[in-house]
Amino acid sequence: MAKLFSPINFKNVTLKNRIVMAPMCMYSCNQEDGKVTPFHVTHYTSRAVGQVGLIMLEATAVQPEGRISSQDLGIWDDDHVEGLTDLNRQIHHYGSKTAIQLAHAGRKAQLDSNIFAPSALAFNDSYKTPQQMTVEDIKETIEAFKAASKRAKQANFDIIELHAAHGYLINQFLSPLTNIRGDSYGGSRENRYRLLEEIISAVKQAWDGPLFVRISTDEYAEGGNSLEDFVYFSRRMREQGIELIDCSSGGVVPASISVYPGYQLPRCETIRKEANISTGAVGLITTGVQAEEIIQNERADLIFLARALLRDPYWPRTAATELNEKLSAPKQYERGW
Ligand SMILES: Cc1cc2nc3c(=O)[nH]c(=O)nc-3n(C[C@H](O)[C@H](O)[C@H](O)COP(=O)(O)O)c2cc1C
């Protein structure tokens, strides 16, 4: 059997295969209230019908001022739990597990309200200059991640992923390019890791399921974190009980990035080996053969797919055909599978 279709466990959660729907913002909360809409139910449930092992919800804001846009999904209020619970019920019905990506945009929020970041540095001319967070602001944000995790548990998610990539708030603290603080949250890499460390500890008080973290493994800019820094962060995360590092890149500062199939994979592989932790590969993975090669050669444990799943919600079936595998179908679809 192709290893892509073999199950894998994270704590008490078994994924039926290695295929993950990568988090993708849909900016579809038209009421600007962060609540699940019929669109979200159709969008995520279709990929569950298509036999994706793990459906990860898009970046979901833990505080309203931490949204990228006013149409983002949210989990900052108890009122969000009902829609998320119903969405999970629909996805689970088809045998997929669910994850939520907890996020705070920091200086990359494009909102009318004030925005916050480790330091008062704008991303570029078209973004607002953020307010430098006080220690009190930081503590509030940590509590917001914890409260969001409690709600994620109430809503029956199987896995939580913390969004520490793409230049959003946690990433802004990790990077020396965006964090020029002089207190215990800035300066050395130990200090720059502190926010993530405290968020993980707080989340673990409310959540005992598997916890993943997405990082940007390359900042594509002089003076940014090196691969060695990311191995250090990943080791710290493993010590804190993180199950998997989802290895993306970029977004910290404006930069031009050369992309090609598997462009983020060498760093993912290094982190897996050097930090001795499971990893997720992402970035221009489009074919079954490519995904199978990554899993078989133990370069990553999970395959995250974004745009390929937008094009083809039944990508697992397409990949199975390519790899000469037979994938079981939802009962209703057996005659056409
Ligand atoms: C429409 C869209 C929205 C995205 N939103 C998110 C997001 O919410 N969180 C995140 O970590 N990455 C996000 N990404 C990045 C993807 O998860 C993925 O890392 C990237 O698209 C590369 O994978 P791909 O080549 O399979 O598309 C988004 C990508 C797309 C195309």
Side-chain angles (χ1 to χ4, degrees), residues 45-60:
T45 309
S46 322
R47 276 76 192 171
V49 170
Q51 301 301 301
V52 170
L54 179 66
I55 307 277
M56 187 172 289
L57 262 62
E58 62 203 81
T60 303

Side-chain angles (χ1 to χ4, degrees), residues 27-37 40 61 63-65 67 69-77 80 110-113:
Y27 307 117
S28 292
C29 300
N30 303 324
Q31 305 291 321
E32 308 194 353
D33 56 3
K35 288 187 181 169
V36 171
T37 66
H40 295 108
Q63 289 179 303
E65 64 274 25
R67 289 175 292 176
S69 82
S70 55
Q71 274 95 35
D72 290 17
L73 268 186
I75 189 164
W76 66 82
D77 195 281
H80 291 125
Q110 292 186 296
L111 301 166
D112 294 333
S113 61

Side-chain angles (χ1 to χ4, degrees), residues 145-320:
F145 272 95
K146 181 176 166 185
S149 306
K150 193 169 154 220
R151 294 185 193 108
K153 190 172 174 175
Q154 287 166 351
N156 286 327
F157 282 99
D158 300 295
I159 293 174
I160 288 180
E161 174 165 289
L162 301 174
H163 197 351
H166 303 167
Y168 295 114
L169 185 75
I170 300 175
N171 198 172
Q172 290 158 31
F173 273 85
L174 290 176
S175 176
L177 299 171
T178 44
N179 180 349
I180 53 169
R181 298 175 72 93
D183 64 4
S184 64
Y185 289 94
S188 65
R189 66 182 180 185
E190 286 79 5
N191 282 356
R192 298 196 313 274
Y193 181 71
R194 195 172 312 282
L195 175 74
L196 181 52
E197 179 183 17
E198 293 184 359
I199 289 175
I200 294 170
S201 302
V203 165
K204 281 186 156 283
Q205 288 169 25
W207 174 263
D208 53 7
L211 198 51
F212 295 178
V213 178
R214 175 169 271 202
I215 56 172
S216 279
T217 60
D218 196 335
E219 301 187 349
Y220 304 106
E222 191 100 2
N225 281 310
S226 64
L227 184 53
E228 202 252 316
D229 292 321
F230 289 112
V231 169
Y232 164 81
F233 293 139
S234 302
R235 285 192 183 129
R236 295 285 307 270
M237 287 189 258
R238 188 200 59 218
E239 285 159 12
Q240 286 195 269
I242 294 301
E243 265 75 33
L244 176 135
I245 310 284
D246 169 8
C247 296
S248 188
S249 73
V252 185
V253 289
S256 78
I257 304 173
S258 146
V259 297
Y260 45 87
Y263 64 104
Q264 296 171 145
L265 205 54
R267 289 172 165 254
C268 171
E269 210 173 344
T270 301
I271 287 171
R272 191 175 185 276
K273 291 206 175 76
E274 302 279 317
N276 191 21
I277 189 163
S278 297
T279 55
V282 66
L284 279 182
I285 301 168
T286 53
T287 69
V289 169
Q290 198 189 351
E292 179 66 6
E293 184 276 324
I294 294 167
I295 299 292
Q296 283 284 4
N297 283 319
E298 302 188 341
R299 306 172 76 189
D301 301 87
L302 294 179
I303 302 295
F304 284 62
L305 301 167
R307 289 163 292 180
L309 271 173
L310 290 185
R311 289 189 291 274
D312 178 6
Y314 292 3
W315 188 92
R317 189 186 170 280
T318 307

